[in-house]
Structures are given as structure tokens and as C-alpha cells.
Amino acid sequence: MKNSIYKIVFSAILGLGALAPIATFATHYTSDQAVQSANLETKILQTLDADKMYDNIKYLSKTPRVAGTKQEDKAVAFIEKQFESYGYETEIQTFTFSDYTTPHTVELAVDRYSQKINPLPFEYSANGVVSAEVLPAGLGKAEELKSLDLKGKIALLQRGEISFLDKITNVIAKGAIGVIIYNNADGTILGSLGEENTAVVPAVLLTKAEGEALSGHLKKHPNSKASLKIEGAKTDSNTSHNVIATKKGDSEIGMKNSANDILVISSHHDSVAKAPGANDNASGTAMTLELARVLKNIPTSTEIRFITFGAEEVGLIGSTHYVEHLPKNEMSRIVANFNLDMVGSKDAGELILQTIDKKPNLVTDLAQEASEKLNGEPTPYNQGDSSDHVPFAKAGIPAALFIHNPAEPWYHTADDSIDKISKKKLQDVAEIVSIAVWNHVRMDKQEK
Ligand code: BES
Ligand code: ZN
């Protein structure tokens, strides 16, 4: 927090430790509630403990926590134990995901063609060795292929209009045994076939320049043969977990419209390979734990779920699984997702909020109000779709990512270690998030 005037004023005016017993507070909507609420707010700010977050980051970042590994399991057990030590009932949601290993060998050789080619595999490219005539087949759209005989041939296609997988499927239907696709724009692309697919034949990607040069060669030398080799690709099935701790709301049903609402505070606990992931994302995980600890015995009008997701780094798998498997009635009850990812690096820039559409929503409004109150200025926001707020936002739930911008240079490297963590940054973000959440869940909030 940049200045603590707010904290001091409240402490001085209201005094501390004069909280009404929680049961009384929760059931009787009294005229004292505004005072009690301010008192609780002070209590929240004073209970937040950057040392606790730091210690949990230190523990979690002893090793990388790649989804599906024993190290992830160990982190999951630790997170569960922490939630339980604060008094929460915790659920572990287990899911599987596939993990594609890129081939160690990808080769393409064309007869009487000496120009350099650097073929790239697709994610989920199949292994295989084929040797056959290469036939240009346009964009690979079904209608273009009608009069082409691709039986036993390698199809040469251009990127565009339809997906890579659709192109490959279309030429396979015409008998092709291998596929070369070249880019329609400058630069290299990392193409994907989406998922493991046993029906596909060996397929590679070339740059625009490589593809055009090869097309030119085939015009001069039609019926040229090529050999295409892909070896070492494999798809493993892995298991990862989400850890969910739930704090039920304290409103009596009927007392408040919001009594049924659910607010989700989330982070991902997995890391990329070789990175201890102190900031990405032991920091968000430790902050989720700390917010759970601090809010445990504070009466709230709505339910709060604290979730750490697995397999974020593999493609937002845990959060997508969570959102896709929500019972319908719970989906409609979730009113906000506060997602914390990379919230404690000394070497990153200032806090920003990211939404997938760059538009404000309930979460950014609450966070801006909180940071204005705490620091005298609203937190800026921009567009971003690289973390677990995305599946919530896509499901129509107001969601935002809390992250420092620009990111630290060690992000996703072996240097993302505990020595780069700033307790002050952790404290500042935790204060903003806790006050933003509090302003929505406090019992005296006026409903429209
Ligand atoms: N914490 C990062 C996201 C991030 C990093 C956002 C730097 C903004 C600045 C996250 O864990 C991550 O690495 N996400 C992936 C995308 C995801 C869909 C696999 C990424 O950004 O590559
Ligand atoms: Zn991350």
C-alpha cells in the first residue's frame, strides 16, 4: 500500500478488537453494521501477512511444479493442508489432459531440389516415413480437390481459410499419405491439430518463402518425389488437479438477493518445466491461500471459493475443466472471478488488471475502487488472455487477471526463484484484492 493513512484512520476512529461475536453479526442485520463492516475491513488489512505469503512461496518454489508430475502432487497436498489448517473443507478435482512430445526428427527431402528447407511439425503431428510424388492442391478445400488424384501422394497446400486439420482430413479423404502446408504470411508459425488424432498422416509446416520456392520447383519438375520423415512424437495422458476451498455465505436465504452469489478467487499452482515458478505462480497461489486465511472468520453475504488450478501452463486446462464441469445452477451463481497470476516479482512493473475484451467489468470496477481508496489512484487495465480468467470470461462471468506489467525478465526461466519476490508487492496486491472482494461481500452492502 502506498500510504497507510486509510488504515491508520480506521484503526484510530474505530479501535480494534471490538468485534461483535460472529454469530450475532451474521444473523441480525443491525444499524451498527456499517461500523462493524469498517471494523472488519481494518481487521482484514491488519491480518494480511506478507511473511506468510513469502514463506508459502518459498516452500512451493523449491522445485518446478509441472502439471502431471509428483512435484505438482506435492504442491497440491501442501495447498490442501494449508486450506484445512485455516478450517476449510477442501475438494480436490482431478482431471486428465494430453501432453504432446514434439518429434526429435522432422525431415523433408525433395528430389533434385537443393534449397534449404526447415520443416516444422504441428502439435499432434503423427510419426511416419513416406516417400511419394508431391502434388500441389491449393488450400485443400474439399471443392478444390474434386478432380485431383492424390492417392498415394504427398499434398502440398497453402495455409488459409480452413483449419490445418480440415485441410489434412480433406486430402486424406482423397488418398494422400503425407502433407506439406506452407504459410500464407511471413514468419514461422507453431501450428496445432488441436488434439491427438490417430487418423492423420505425417504433416509438416514450411514458411511462405520455402513453400513458394518448392511450388516453383514443382512447376518446372512436375511429378517430383519427396520423402517425409517424422519420428519421436508421442502423446501421453496425464493427471492434474484443482484444489477448491469453499467459504459459505453468512446471509440467511431471503435476507439478501446476493445470498446465492458465488465469488471465485483463483490462481494456478503449476509451473513450466525447469522453472521454480516463484512468481509464476507460487505468488498467486500463496495469495489465494492468504486471502482464504484472512477471510475465514469474517462474515460475508455471499459464498467465496478459493481455487488453485492445475495445468494452466499446458493451456488453461484446469480452469477450463472447472468451468466446463460446473453444474448449471452454480454457473449462474458465479458473479466474479479474481484471478491472481505473477503478483510478487521485484523486477516486474506496476499492477495492472487484464480482461479478455479490454472492457471494464464488476471485478475491474471493484479493484479500481479499492486501489483508489488505498493508494489514491485506480489500477490501470488492458487486454490479456493468457491465464485462468479466460474460461470464466468466455462463460460470461465478469473476470480479470491481476498481474504486474511489464513481466520480469526471468518469467518462465530457472531464475524465477524466491530471491526475486517482493513482500511489498505481495502486500499491495493482497490489500487491493481483499478490499475489492470485501466491498462486494460485506453484510451491509446496499443492494439495488
Ligand atoms: N503467467 C503467465 C501469463 C502471463 C505472463 C501474462 C506474462 C502476462 C505476462 C501464464 O502462466 C502463462 O504462461 N500463460 C501462457 C498461455 C497459456 C494459454 C498456456 C503464455 O502466456 O504463454
Ligand atoms: Zn502464470
Side-chain angles (χ1 to χ4, degrees):
M1 190 157 94
K2 288 213 177 79
N3 66 61
S4 305
I5 292 169
Y6 176 67
K7 208 188 242 180
I8 296 161
V9 167
F10 269 119
S11 314
I13 295 175
L14 301 165
L16 291 167
L19 303 177
I22 281 157
T24 316
F25 185 90
T27 48
H28 300 285
Y29 193 77
T30 71
S31 56
D32 291 345
Q33 282 202 327
V35 175
Q36 294 195 8
S37 223
N39 234 344
L40 286 170
E41 184 167 302
T42 307
K43 183 180 172 184
I44 290 169
L45 289 173
Q46 300 220 329
T47 314
L48 279 173
D49 187 346
D51 289 332
K52 286 208 160 54
M53 290 188 262
Y54 187 89
D55 289 347
N56 285 339
I57 296 170
K58 194 168 176 181
Y59 177 86
L60 287 165
S61 63
K62 279 187 190 146
T63 64
R65 301 171 302 284
V66 175
T69 64
K70 285 214 168 59
Q71 288 78 19
E72 189 210 357
D73 292 348
K74 200 174 156 213
V76 164
F78 175 78
I79 295 160
E80 181 184 30
K81 205 180 87 208
Q82 296 303 103
F83 278 136
E84 285 173 356
S85 75
Y86 312 146
Y88 285 94
E89 280 201 16
T90 306
E91 183 202 335
I92 305 278
Q93 184 181 37
T94 297
F95 54 91
T96 56
F97 65 98
S98 26
D99 197 6
Y100 179 74
T101 305
T102 49
H104 50 67
T105 305
V106 182
E107 288 169 5
L108 173 66
V110 182
D111 282 356
R112 286 171 293 152
Y113 187 68
S114 55
Q115 284 196 46
K116 211 172 129 8
I117 4 183
N118 178 29
L120 294 176
F122 291 90
E123 184 190 27
Y124 298 110
S125 267
N127 289 322
V129 183
V130 291
S131 195
E133 182 189 324
V134 186
L135 195 67
L139 290 165
K141 295 196 287 184
E143 57 269 28
E144 290 170 276
L145 304 177
K146 277 198 184 109
S147 57
L148 278 187
D149 179 14
L150 281 166
K151 204 163 170 38
K153 294 180 183 155
I154 296 174
L156 175 66
L157 308 175
Q158 210 181 355
R159 179 186 178 200
E161 294 192 32
I162 59 171
S163 74
F164 293 129
L165 181 62
D166 285 347
K167 289 173 195 281
I168 295 171
T169 308
N170 289 346
V171 295
I172 290 174
K174 296 289 291 181
I177 56 167
V179 184
I180 304 166
I181 302 179
Y182 63 97
N183 204 347
N184 55 359
D186 290 337
T188 48
I189 30 170
L190 294 170
S192 177
L193 306 184
E195 60 187 349
E196 189 181 23
N197 188 331
T198 48
V200 296
V201 298
V204 290
L205 260 170
L206 301 183
T207 62
K208 184 167 180 259
E210 287 168 340
E212 285 173 353
L214 182 56
S215 299
H217 174 81
L218 293 173
K219 274 194 190 119
K220 273 192 230 144
H221 307 279
N223 311 105
S224 289
K225 276 182 79 179
S227 49
L228 177 59
K229 185 191 221 179
I230 301 182
E231 281 173 351
K234 66 178 165 100
T235 304
D236 295 312
S237 176
N238 269 315
T239 301
S240 176
H241 317 270
N242 298 328
V243 190
I244 308 160
T246 302
K247 176 189 191 302
K248 293 279 179 213
D250 295 274
S251 301
E252 282 168 17
I253 301 295
M255 187 169 111
K256 284 188 148 276
N257 298 333
S258 60
N260 249 326
D261 290 356
I262 303 172
L263 200 142
V264 175
I265 300 177
S266 67
S267 54
H268 70 91
H269 58 245
D270 65 314
S271 74
V272 296
K274 302 193 178 74
N279 198 42
D280 188 10
N281 185 30
S283 67
T285 303
M287 196 170 292
T288 304
L289 286 171
E290 183 59 2
L291 294 167
R293 188 185 71 84
V294 166
L295 291 169
K296 177 67 182 77
N297 293 318
I298 304 275
T300 57
S301 60
T302 73
E303 178 170 327
I304 305 179
R305 291 190 190 170
F306 303 91
I307 312 180
T308 74
F309 293 117
E312 187 267 358
E313 300 286 7
V314 201
L316 317 180
I317 311 275
S319 51
T320 303
H321 180 91
Y322 179 78
V323 171
E324 278 178 359
H325 288 80
L326 275 168
K328 257 211 184 89
N329 68 321
E330 291 190 17
M331 176 82 106
S332 57
R333 287 169 57 202
I334 300 182
V335 294
N337 168 237
F338 291 72
N339 183 47
L340 316 174
D341 193 354
M342 301 171 67
V343 285
S345 175
K346 274 181 188 163
D347 308 301
E350 294 293 314
L351 179 68
I352 56 158
L353 308 166
Q354 292 190 340
T355 57
I356 68 167
D357 55 7
K358 212 183 170 197
K359 290 191 183 133
N361 59 36
L362 174 65
V363 180
T364 59
D365 287 350
L366 287 166
Q368 298 217 309
E369 195 190 320
S371 57
E372 188 128 28
K373 205 167 172 188
L374 289 160
N375 303 327
E377 52 194 46
T379 306
Y381 65 88
N382 63 17
Q383 195 277 337
D385 48 14
S386 302
S387 189
D388 291 317
H389 57 301
V390 174
F392 289 92
K394 285 188 175 162
I397 297 165
L401 167 66
F402 291 70
I403 191 163
H404 290 118
N405 184 54
E408 63 280 12
W410 350 106
Y411 145 70
H412 282 187
T413 76
D415 292 325
D416 180 9
S417 44
I418 185 68
D419 52 305
K420 316 294 192 318
I421 295 296
S422 153
K423 288 185 187 174
K424 174 158 192 326
K425 278 227 169 86
L426 293 170
Q427 182 74 24
D428 285 352
V429 180
E431 287 183 2
I432 290 171
V433 178
S434 61
I435 296 311
V437 169
W438 175 244
N439 278 331
H440 195 65
V441 303
R442 62 200 171 90
M443 299 293 272
D444 66 326
K445 186 181 163 73
Q446 297 302 308
E447 292 188 340
K448 285 169 201 142

